Amino acid sequence: MNEMSRPAAPQPRAEVLTIEAYKAGGSKIEGVNRIVKLSSNEGAFGPPKAAQEAYLKIAANLHRYPDGGSLELRQAIGARFGLDPERLVCGTGSDELIQHLCHIYAGPGTDILMSMHGFTMYQISGTYAGARVIQVPERNLTCDVDAMIAAVTPETRLVFIANPNNPTGSLLAQSEVERLRAGLPADILLVLDAAYAEYVTEADYDAGVKLVDAGENTIMLRTFSKVFGLGGMRVGWGYGPAAVIDALNRVRGVFNVNLAAQAAAVAALAEPGWVEASVAHNVQWRDWLMAALNTIGIKTWPSHGNFFLADFGTAERSAAANAYLMSRGLIVRAMNSYGLPQTLRITVGTEEECRMVAAALGDFVTHA
Ligand SMILES: *Cc1c(COP(=O)(O)O)cnc(C)c1O
């Protein structure tokens, strides 16, 4: 090839430039001193004390590489959830595992299915892998199992379901998840992303273990970023069939979960009563805040996570509410990029933070 026919600069593959960079929840407002961040579904209580202590303690060892296989952490997860550590894999957040699953099982010429308002990382990672990511219509902001099954093509390789779903908060009953699995060809990997599993209080729910154990084609993903309050540490994990775990271990970052993150996660699992207290708080204050908004005429969507959608009817009203909350130092998440511009996603914070949101929206409705 002669010099003249080459581009003047390095060129990304075309699909990379079709990806919109992920917009994380905001954390700063110009000119406001006290910021309350309710935009990323981080746990209401901060990081567990034991995790903070483990993090500080590991500082003297930072010159050491971590255990690349996260063995102690996998053993701790296995003990906590009754799972075989050999069939667990840890990641730099579950985001890392999502990305690898797309590259391992999909790619150019293949399809990945997700529901219309599913988690954005599936769209980003699937497109990056070169696959076509199909967003299947939902019913009532809930994954429609029949529509998902109907959307399967000969090229479909992966189906992603977040259960509970972020950002809608909706839940698929276990019977529905089983119906979905039964309706998918055996060679399609079903990814059950249960980032909010601990928060679910519904009886007819399984985070994924049952379906993982029932076959060779379902993997469950979990994270330390939500109820365990370690989003900044970047630790997620997957439980899956031996062959899927084997494939992930071949391609994941060799030392993907760093030393401090492994120590903090092990300690977080051991913090007594942490999950129970977090879940009790979440149920109480999520329901309180939703009821408070309903009372002042703001519709809310039912949620099984530590967040919910407040529905303002129109994109304009929602944007005005968002601006008003910002002026009061309250950062929530606009949902324009999820195709739900009429809504704001609000993370359930502390009691004080919930009361601040209710008070601010009360003033917004009365005056703005
Ligand atoms: C927050 C979240 C994750 C993952 O997060 P990591 O911090 O990468 O572990 C995965 N899936 C959903 C649906 C989430 O909301």
Side-chain angles (χ1 to χ4, degrees):
M1 205 185 265
N2 87 42
E3 287 298 316
M4 296 302 290
S5 67
R6 302 192 65 128
Q11 300 296 304
R13 288 187 290 113
E15 56 264 38
V16 171
L17 298 183
T18 70
I19 296 171
E20 279 221 35
Y22 183 81
K23 282 189 206 75
S27 57
K28 284 197 184 77
I29 307 172
E30 219 52 59
V32 176
N33 289 331
R34 182 175 173 195
I35 301 288
V36 173
K37 184 177 182 234
L38 301 170
S39 57
S40 298
N41 303 343
E42 298 143 337
F45 296 158
K49 258 274 163 325
Q52 297 182 45
E53 286 162 11
Y55 176 81
L56 293 174
K57 217 174 120 199
I58 209 78
N61 288 340
L62 290 184
H63 59 307
R64 301 288 180 208
Y65 275 92
D67 168 16
S70 301
L71 179 61
E72 192 191 346
L73 176 54
R74 283 188 293 115
Q75 286 170 338
I77 294 167
R80 169 67 171 260
F81 297 99
L83 303 172
D84 176 4
E86 287 298 308
R87 289 182 42 204
L88 297 173
V89 62
C90 296
T92 313
S94 43
D95 284 354
E96 185 201 3
L97 302 176
I98 291 168
Q99 189 174 325
H100 289 314
L101 288 170
C102 290
H103 281 269
I104 293 169
Y105 293 99
T110 68
D111 290 343
I112 294 174
L113 303 184
M114 62 182 282
S115 69
M116 184 62 82
H117 303 107
F119 188 46
T120 305
M121 283 311 301
Y122 314 147
Q123 159 71 33
I124 292 175
S125 294
T127 306
Y128 180 26
R132 177 171 66 156
V133 181
I134 298 172
Q135 295 185 255
V136 179
E138 298 176 350
R139 218 182 290 168
N140 223 7
L141 293 196
T142 305
C143 172
D144 180 341
V145 168
D146 296 301
M148 292 294 275
I149 293 171
V152 171
T153 68
E155 287 73 43
T156 308
R157 299 289 181 272
L158 274 171
V159 173
F160 280 100
I161 302 286
N163 199 31
N165 186 53
N166 171 22
T168 58
S170 60
L171 189 81
L172 268 191
Q174 177 61 9
S175 48
E176 281 290 280
V177 181
E178 285 172 12
R179 200 163 68 78
L180 172 63
R181 178 66 269 180
L184 298 174
D187 67 317
I188 291 180
L189 181 65
L190 174 62
V191 183
L192 296 176
D193 179 351
Y196 302 94
E198 289 84 357
Y199 289 110
V200 177
T201 53
E202 200 69 21
D204 185 16
Y205 174 73
D206 183 78
V209 174
K210 282 184 187 161
L211 275 174
V212 172
D213 287 344
E216 300 298 324
N217 48 21
T218 302
I219 183 169
M220 169 182 75
L221 299 183
R222 304 282 287 267
T223 182
F224 280 89
S225 300
K226 306 292 159 54
V227 78
F228 286 106
L230 294 180
M233 290 270 81
R234 315 302 305 122
V235 193
W237 55 279
Y239 173 64
V244 178
I245 298 301
D246 172 66
L248 282 164
N249 275 326
R250 290 168 192 266
V251 300
R252 67 173 171 78
V254 189
F255 299 107
N256 57 349
V257 184
N258 75 60
L259 195 73
Q262 291 188 34
V266 168
L269 285 172
E271 180 96 2
W274 180 263
V275 170
E276 293 78 0
S278 300
V279 172
H281 170 89
N282 189 59
V283 169
Q284 180 180 354
W285 290 99
R286 181 185 63 203
D287 292 358
W288 179 87
L289 183 52
M290 287 170 66
L293 300 198
N294 297 159
T295 302
I296 56 175
I298 299 168
K299 178 183 164 173
T300 56
W301 287 85
S303 174
H304 297 268
N306 64 335
F307 59 89
F308 63 88
L309 290 181
D311 194 325
F312 295 85
T314 66
E316 291 68 29
R317 185 99 178 127
S318 177
N322 195 23
Y324 188 79
L325 288 170
M326 292 272 262
S327 74
R328 302 266 294 243
L330 299 163
I331 307 184
V332 301
R333 187 74 155 265
M335 288 284 109
N336 304 53
S337 65
Y338 278 92
L340 297 166
Q342 74 281 19
T343 69
L344 297 175
R345 192 192 66 197
I346 303 173
T347 301
V348 178
T350 62
E351 171 181 347
E352 185 196 13
E353 291 165 348
C354 289
R355 290 188 185 281
M356 288 170 77
V357 171
L361 285 175
D363 291 344
F364 170 73
V365 166
T366 320
H367 307 296

